[in-house]
Amino acid sequence: MNLPNMLTALRFFLIPVYIIIFASGHMIPAFLVVIAAGVTDVLDGHIARRYGMITPAGQMLDPLADKLMIIAVIVTLLYAGHISWWAAGALFLRDLGMIVGGLILHFRGKKNVPANWMGKLTTVLLYGAIMFIFFQASFAEGFLWAVIAFSFLTSIVYAGAYRKLNPKQSSQPERPSGPEEPQNQKEA
C-alpha cells in the first residue's frame, strides 16, 4: 500500500473518530477532525499525482472516503438540529448518487471522469459551509443552499464529461453506406 492510499485509509478511520467526538458534544474538536480529513484528501491527491502513485484502488477509494466523511457530517449535523431535513436530503441525494454511480461505472469498466476545478471548488465551498454551520454563522444555512445548488450544477457538468469520455455505443449493427442492390433474381 503506497502513501496516498494510506492517507485515504486514514480518512476512513477518521469517520468514526469524528462521530464519537461530535456525539460527545465537542464541536470544535469534531470540526478539526473534519479539517484533518480534508487535509489528508488534498495531500493524498497531490502525492499520488506528483510521484506517479495513482492506483485503481486509490481512484475508487479516495472519493468514497470523501463522500462517507461528508455523509457522516451531514447525519450528525442533522441529528443535532444544525441543518434541515431538506438540506440533508439534497446532499444525501447527490452524494449517494455519486457513490452508487461511481461504483457502477467502475465495475462496468467505464472510464472515470477526473476531478475538475468545479468539483474541487464544490468541495472547498462545502467545507466552508460546514465551518459556518459549526461556528453558527447567521448566514450558514443560506450559504449551504448556495453550495448545494452549485454541487448539482457540478454534477451535471460531470455527467456531460462522462458522456464525452464514454460515448454510447449503438446496439444496432452498422449498415453499409452504399445503395443496396435488390436481391430479386428470376429463374429461367
Side-chain angles (χ1 to χ4, degrees):
M1 179 181 284
N2 64 23
L3 179 58
N5 289 350
M6 285 191 270
L7 289 170
T8 298
L10 174 62
R11 214 157 46 257
F12 280 106
F13 172 75
L14 288 175
I15 295 168
V17 170
Y18 161 77
I19 293 169
I20 290 166
I21 293 172
F22 186 94
S24 66
H26 302 289
M27 294 287 284
I28 301 306
F31 177 70
L32 293 175
V33 172
V34 173
I35 294 302
V39 169
T40 64
D41 182 28
V42 170
L43 282 175
D44 72 10
H46 173 73
I47 293 168
R49 284 186 298 278
R50 178 163 175 121
Y51 297 104
M53 300 173 121
I54 297 171
T55 65
Q59 287 178 318
M60 186 177 76
L61 293 175
D62 178 67
L64 181 61
D66 299 340
K67 297 300 172 211
L68 291 176
M69 176 56 94
I70 292 299
I71 288 171
V73 170
I74 293 165
V75 168
T76 56
L77 291 175
L78 176 65
Y79 180 76
H82 294 296
I83 62 172
S84 71
W85 279 97
W86 287 106
L91 289 166
F92 276 135
L93 179 66
R94 179 186 177 265
D95 284 350
L96 195 58
M98 290 183 71
I99 290 170
V100 171
L103 289 172
I104 289 170
L105 296 176
H106 174 78
F107 288 114
R108 287 188 177 174
K110 301 291 184 182
K111 295 177 185 171
N112 287 332
V113 177
N116 66 25
W117 69 270
M118 286 182 75
K120 292 178 183 188
L121 180 58
T122 299
T123 301
V124 169
L125 292 173
L126 186 56
Y127 273 90
I130 290 167
M131 178 185 69
F132 295 143
I133 293 165
F134 269 87
F135 289 98
Q136 301 176 352
S138 60
F139 57 88
E141 187 174 345
F143 187 80
L144 176 62
W145 278 107
V147 173
I148 290 169
F150 187 73
S151 74
F152 277 92
L153 174 64
T154 301
S155 295
I156 292 168
V157 169
Y158 271 103
Y162 164 78
R163 293 189 93 182
K164 282 184 181 177
L165 200 57
N166 296 285
K168 188 175 180 179
Q169 296 169 347
S170 175
S171 59
Q172 301 272 335
E174 287 191 32
R175 293 185 173 185
S177 59
E180 293 185 25
E181 295 288 326
Q183 298 279 330
N184 296 342
Q185 292 183 350
K186 294 183 182 177
E187 291 186 27

